[in-house]
Amino acid sequence: MALETLIASSFEPPLGNEPRRRALVLMGGGARTAYQVGVLRALARLLGERAFPFQIVLGTSAGALNAAYLASHARDGTAAFDRLAAFWSHLRSDQVYRLAAWRLGPPNLLTAGLTLMWQVRRHRALLDAMPLVDTLHRHLDLGRIDAALQAGVLDAVGVTASSYTSGEHWTFFQTHDARLAPWRRPGRRAEVQPLSIEHLMASAAIPFLFPAVPLWVDGHKEYFGDGSMRQLSPLSGAIHLGARQILVIGVGQPQRAGLTARSGGPEEPSAGTIAGHALASVFHDTLQADVEQAQRVSRTLAQLPPAVAALLPYRPVQVLALQPSASLDELALKHVSELPAATRDTLAGLGALETRRRGTSSAAALASYLLFEPGFVHALIRLGEADAMQRAAELRAFFDDDGADAGTRADAHSVR
C-alpha cells in the first residue's frame, strides 16, 4: 500500500528544483486529538521562534480540524502551535455537540433509547453537530489558509473524508501550486477544492454519532463521513503531494487497556467495550502498518549502491511517528465524570459506562471521543508534551536540514 504509493508517485513528473517538502499528518480520534496539541506545543519549544516548519499539512477527522486551524495561523510561524493549544484550552463539549436527554428517573435503557430515537429523528445522527459548525465559524478563518498558500508559507493543505455514496476514500486539498495534481488509486481519490467548513464537518463526522455531510465531487453530490473510515494508507496523501519527510501524530496505542481482563477469566463484553473497540479500529489500526512499510521501503532504497539508486525513479521518505506512550483509555477513565450530564446519563443508560465489570476502561474509551472537557484535554496535552520531550533528539534531527539523508534516518523505532 505505502509501497504502491511510493512507486507510483515516483513516476510522476519531477517538481523541479525545490527544497525537500516536509509534511505534518494528523490522525483522527475525537477529543483524544488534544494529544496532538501537546506534541506540537513541545515542538514549538524545541524549535524556538521560526517560520512554520511544514510545507504540507493534512488531517483526518478531528485531526482535520487541528490541521485547518494550524494552516490558518501558518504565517505566525511556530507560534501557530501555541495558538492551537489556547483554542483547545477553552473548548468544551457543548461547543462540539449537543445531546438533549430524556429524564425519567435514574439513567436506564428506556430513557436512553428515547433520547437516541429523538436525536436521530431530529439530526439524522445520535448527536447534534451544529455547535461544532458554530465553533468553527467563530474561531477559524479559512481565508487565512489561502493567504498562507499565496504567500508560499504552505504548499498544500488537505483533509480526508469517506464517501458513503461511492465507498471511496477522498483527499480534498487546497494549493496554489499547479504542479500538485489530483490522483486516483483503487478506492482512493483526490481533488483540488477550496476547503470549507463542510469539508471539515465531513471529515470529522464520526459514524453514527454525527450526520453525513454532502459534498460535490465530479459534478455531483455525494454524502461523506469520517475520514478515518477506509483510510488504508494514511501517509499516501502526503507522499502524493511531494513530501519526503513526514511527521505523523496518532492517538492510538498498540494494546488498548480493558480489552484483556485484569484478573480472573474473560467476561462477555459490554456495549461500551464493543463500541470502544469499534471506534478504536476505525481510527487507529492502519497507521502503524503504513508507517512501518514506508520506513521499510525507504531503508531499502537508502541502502542501494549510489550508482544503482541514481538509475531508479524511486525516492526514500523519512517518516517519524508519535503516538501516546500511555493508555488514553485509562486516562479517560479518570475523567468520565466530567462528561455533560446528558451524555453521561445516556451512555450509562445504554450500559456503556458500566463500572461493575472489568471492562470499565474500554467503556471509557467510548466516552473519551466525546470528552471535550478541561480535565481530560489538559491531561492529554501534558502527555503529548512529555512524549515529545522524551524524543527531543529525534525531533531535532528530523528538522535538521543539514542532517543525514532522509532514508537513513527512518527506523522502525519511530513507531510506538
Side-chain angles (χ1 to χ4, degrees):
M1 171 287 326
L3 174 63
E4 176 267 340
T5 300
L6 282 165
I7 292 176
S9 63
S10 297
F11 283 104
E12 294 172 356
L15 298 179
N17 296 324
E18 60 179 358
R20 186 171 60 210
R21 280 192 171 102
R22 184 184 294 126
L24 174 65
V25 176
L26 300 174
M27 303 297 291
R32 299 158 74 106
T33 53
Y35 172 83
Q36 298 168 352
V37 179
V39 172
L40 293 170
R41 192 158 75 173
L43 181 60
R45 294 206 304 271
L46 292 172
L47 297 180
E49 293 186 11
R50 54 172 285 181
F52 195 72
F54 301 98
Q55 293 74 51
I56 300 167
V57 181
L58 294 174
T60 293
S61 190
L65 310 184
N66 285 343
Y69 193 94
L70 286 173
S72 72
H73 290 278
R75 288 182 297 169
D76 298 330
T78 49
F81 303 142
D82 290 321
R83 297 191 192 285
L84 180 63
F87 168 74
W88 272 88
S89 295
H90 294 93
L91 197 61
R92 301 293 185 272
S93 296
D94 61 9
Q95 296 174 287
V96 179
Y97 63 87
R98 185 181 299 112
L99 178 62
W102 285 61
R103 291 294 187 90
L104 299 173
N108 58 69
L109 185 59
L110 174 61
T111 57
L114 289 171
T115 293
L116 298 182
M117 180 179 68
W118 176 251
Q119 289 285 121
V120 170
R121 290 189 63 179
R122 292 194 65 189
H123 308 295
R124 298 178 291 109
L126 301 180
L127 300 174
D128 177 7
M130 287 307 297
L132 179 56
V133 174
D134 181 61
T135 297
L136 293 177
H137 276 292
R138 286 187 292 109
H139 294 281
L140 182 59
D141 184 353
L142 293 175
R144 290 173 59 93
I145 295 179
D146 188 67
L149 291 166
Q150 288 193 38
V153 176
L154 295 171
D155 292 333
V157 181
V159 302
T160 67
S162 183
S163 174
Y164 289 120
T165 306
S166 67
E168 290 190 301
H169 188 269
W170 284 77
T171 299
F172 300 99
F173 68 98
Q174 186 171 343
T175 182
H176 279 280
D177 191 336
R179 297 170 296 179
L180 297 180
W183 62 88
R184 184 166 190 167
R185 299 288 183 269
R188 293 183 281 126
R189 298 281 305 276
E191 186 167 300
V192 178
Q193 292 190 11
L195 296 183
S196 65
I197 298 298
E198 287 74 20
H199 287 97
L200 301 180
M201 292 302 298
S203 183
I206 299 175
F208 301 110
L209 296 183
F210 295 125
V213 177
L215 296 174
W216 285 85
V217 292
D218 289 340
H220 65 275
K221 183 168 64 177
E222 294 187 13
Y223 283 87
F224 286 82
D226 200 293
S228 296
M229 296 186 291
R230 297 199 173 192
Q231 189 175 38
L232 302 179
S233 179
L235 304 182
S236 65
I239 295 172
H240 278 295
L241 291 171
R244 292 299 170 258
Q245 287 181 283
I246 303 174
L247 175 64
V248 54
I249 310 176
V251 293
Q253 46 263 325
Q255 179 170 333
R256 297 181 296 278
L259 298 183
T260 55
R262 298 172 185 274
S263 60
E267 291 184 353
E268 181 181 357
S270 68
T273 300
I274 295 171
H277 180 67
L279 283 180
S281 298
V282 167
F283 284 113
H284 312 309
D285 286 355
T286 60
L287 175 59
Q288 184 165 332
D290 198 30
V291 170
E292 289 177 348
Q293 183 152 316
Q295 291 172 335
R296 188 162 53 247
V297 172
S298 293
R299 282 198 306 273
T300 300
L301 294 174
Q303 291 168 2
L304 293 174
V308 175
L311 298 175
L312 297 175
Y314 314 141
R315 291 169 289 182
V317 177
Q318 179 192 3
V319 180
L320 179 61
L322 280 81
Q323 297 197 81
S325 60
S327 169
L328 301 192
D329 300 358
E330 293 282 4
L331 189 61
L333 186 60
K334 301 175 183 178
H335 298 277
V336 166
S337 61
E338 297 178 28
L339 280 168
T343 305
R344 188 174 61 250
D345 290 350
T346 300
L347 293 178
L350 293 172
L353 293 181
E354 178 58 72
T355 58
R356 292 170 296 177
R357 307 172 67 94
R358 283 194 291 270
T360 53
S361 57
S362 292
L366 171 61
S368 70
Y369 297 97
L370 303 175
L371 255 171
F372 295 90
E373 298 297 331
F376 186 53
V377 165
H378 292 159
L380 287 170
I381 292 175
R382 288 193 297 270
L383 177 62
E385 288 180 304
D387 285 352
M389 297 309 294
Q390 282 291 322
R391 303 180 66 182
E394 289 178 81
L395 285 167
R396 287 195 179 100
F398 183 85
F399 290 93
D400 180 8
D401 293 331
D402 299 324
D405 180 77
T408 62
R409 286 190 288 174
D411 64 80
H413 298 294
S414 295
V415 182
R416 291 192 178 184

